[in-house]
Amino acid sequence: MQEFIDQLPQLAKDKHNENKKFFAKLKKKPPKRLDQMMQELHDEEFTETDCLQCANCCKTTGPLFTDKDVARIAKFLRIKPQKFEEQYLRRDEDEDLVLQQVPCTFLSVDNYCSIYEVRPKACREFPHTDRKKFQQISNLTLKNVTICPAAYHIVEKMKARIPV
């Protein structure tokens, strides 16, 4: 798995133009059952992919934290939301709340998340390949295939299934 993760940025870069063209066409004319197909591809991929063997998302990128995320996680950690923000988060150039550093502070050496039960919405939904109106998040997906083996495989299977 680690070998594939190491190769992933280059593989994604090699496919970037192809994927970009595919998503541009998909956005213009999405198939009628795209959401259902994406759910099937997502479910199928995650019967084969074990995130605990990878955790590359947690090691290389940080999620956005909503106010609800902050409140829920702070309560779980038994600290005030303001203290949680001061200790773990910062505002990025878009004024979004993000982690101060990556890899994620809450990622253990065994790839388990110490706040898994209350993790941010962005983490719960990653890599967003089962999201409704999938064609609307093509830029996000193009980014995610560079870090998530499952997202990469799903997009490759999707291109094989959908003639555009």
Short mmCIF file of all heavy atoms in Angstrom, two decimals, residues 7 21 29 45 48 62-63 89 144-145 155 163:
data_model
loop_
_atom_site.label_atom_id
_atom_site.label_comp_id
_atom_site.label_asym_id
_atom_site.label_seq_id
_atom_site.Cartn_x
_atom_site.Cartn_y
_atom_site.Cartn_z
N GLN A 7 3.59 6.64 -4.97
CA GLN A 7 3.47 6.88 -6.42
C GLN A 7 2.27 7.74 -6.78
O GLN A 7 2.21 8.30 -7.87
CB GLN A 7 3.35 5.55 -7.17
CG GLN A 7 4.56 4.67 -7.07
CD GLN A 7 4.30 3.28 -7.65
OE1 GLN A 7 3.20 2.96 -8.10
NE2 GLN A 7 5.33 2.45 -7.63
N LYS A 21 -10.52 16.98 -18.29
CA LYS A 21 -11.40 16.94 -19.46
C LYS A 21 -12.63 16.08 -19.18
O LYS A 21 -13.75 16.45 -19.55
CB LYS A 21 -10.66 16.37 -20.68
CG LYS A 21 -9.67 17.33 -21.29
CD LYS A 21 -8.94 16.68 -22.45
CE LYS A 21 -7.80 17.57 -22.91
NZ LYS A 21 -6.94 16.89 -23.90
N LYS A 29 -22.88 17.40 -18.93
CA LYS A 29 -23.95 16.43 -19.18
C LYS A 29 -23.79 15.22 -18.27
O LYS A 29 -23.34 14.17 -18.70
CB LYS A 29 -23.93 16.00 -20.65
CG LYS A 29 -25.17 15.25 -21.04
CD LYS A 29 -25.20 14.93 -22.51
CE LYS A 29 -26.51 14.20 -22.78
NZ LYS A 29 -26.42 13.29 -23.89
N GLU A 45 -15.38 0.17 -3.64
CA GLU A 45 -13.98 0.48 -3.36
C GLU A 45 -13.66 0.32 -1.87
O GLU A 45 -12.61 -0.19 -1.50
CB GLU A 45 -13.63 1.90 -3.81
CG GLU A 45 -12.19 2.30 -3.57
CD GLU A 45 -11.17 1.43 -4.29
OE1 GLU A 45 -11.45 0.94 -5.39
OE2 GLU A 45 -10.07 1.24 -3.71
N GLU A 48 -12.67 -2.94 -0.37
CA GLU A 48 -11.29 -3.35 -0.66
C GLU A 48 -10.25 -2.45 0.02
O GLU A 48 -9.12 -2.86 0.25
CB GLU A 48 -11.04 -3.32 -2.17
CG GLU A 48 -11.95 -4.24 -2.95
CD GLU A 48 -11.89 -3.99 -4.45
OE1 GLU A 48 -10.89 -3.42 -4.92
OE2 GLU A 48 -12.84 -4.37 -5.15
N GLY A 62 -5.28 18.80 5.96
CA GLY A 62 -6.13 19.02 7.12
C GLY A 62 -7.53 19.39 6.68
O GLY A 62 -7.71 20.04 5.66
N PRO A 63 -8.51 18.99 7.45
CA PRO A 63 -9.90 19.32 7.12
C PRO A 63 -10.24 20.75 7.52
O PRO A 63 -9.54 21.37 8.32
CB PRO A 63 -10.69 18.33 7.97
CG PRO A 63 -9.84 18.18 9.20
CD PRO A 63 -8.41 18.21 8.68
N LEU A 89 -6.12 24.94 16.18
CA LEU A 89 -6.56 25.47 14.89
C LEU A 89 -5.95 26.83 14.57
O LEU A 89 -5.40 27.50 15.44
CB LEU A 89 -8.08 25.57 14.84
CG LEU A 89 -8.86 24.29 15.17
CD1 LEU A 89 -10.35 24.57 15.13
CD2 LEU A 89 -8.49 23.15 14.23
N ASN A 144 -8.27 15.34 -4.45
CA ASN A 144 -8.31 14.15 -3.61
C ASN A 144 -7.64 12.93 -4.25
O ASN A 144 -7.09 12.09 -3.54
CB ASN A 144 -9.74 13.82 -3.20
CG ASN A 144 -10.29 14.84 -2.22
OD1 ASN A 144 -9.55 15.62 -1.63
ND2 ASN A 144 -11.60 14.85 -2.05
N VAL A 145 -7.68 12.82 -5.58
CA VAL A 145 -7.03 11.67 -6.22
C VAL A 145 -5.51 11.72 -6.06
O VAL A 145 -4.84 10.70 -6.21
CB VAL A 145 -7.39 11.51 -7.71
CG1 VAL A 145 -8.87 11.24 -7.90
CG2 VAL A 145 -6.93 12.67 -8.55
N VAL A 155 -12.22 7.10 -9.40
CA VAL A 155 -12.25 7.93 -10.62
C VAL A 155 -11.85 7.11 -11.83
O VAL A 155 -12.46 7.23 -12.90
CB VAL A 155 -11.36 9.18 -10.46
CG1 VAL A 155 -11.15 9.89 -11.78
CG2 VAL A 155 -11.99 10.14 -9.44
N PRO A 163 -19.07 6.74 -20.59
CA PRO A 163 -18.52 7.29 -21.83
C PRO A 163 -18.93 8.78 -21.95
O PRO A 163 -20.10 9.11 -21.83
CB PRO A 163 -19.20 6.45 -22.91
CG PRO A 163 -20.47 5.97 -22.30
CD PRO A 163 -20.23 5.92 -20.80
#
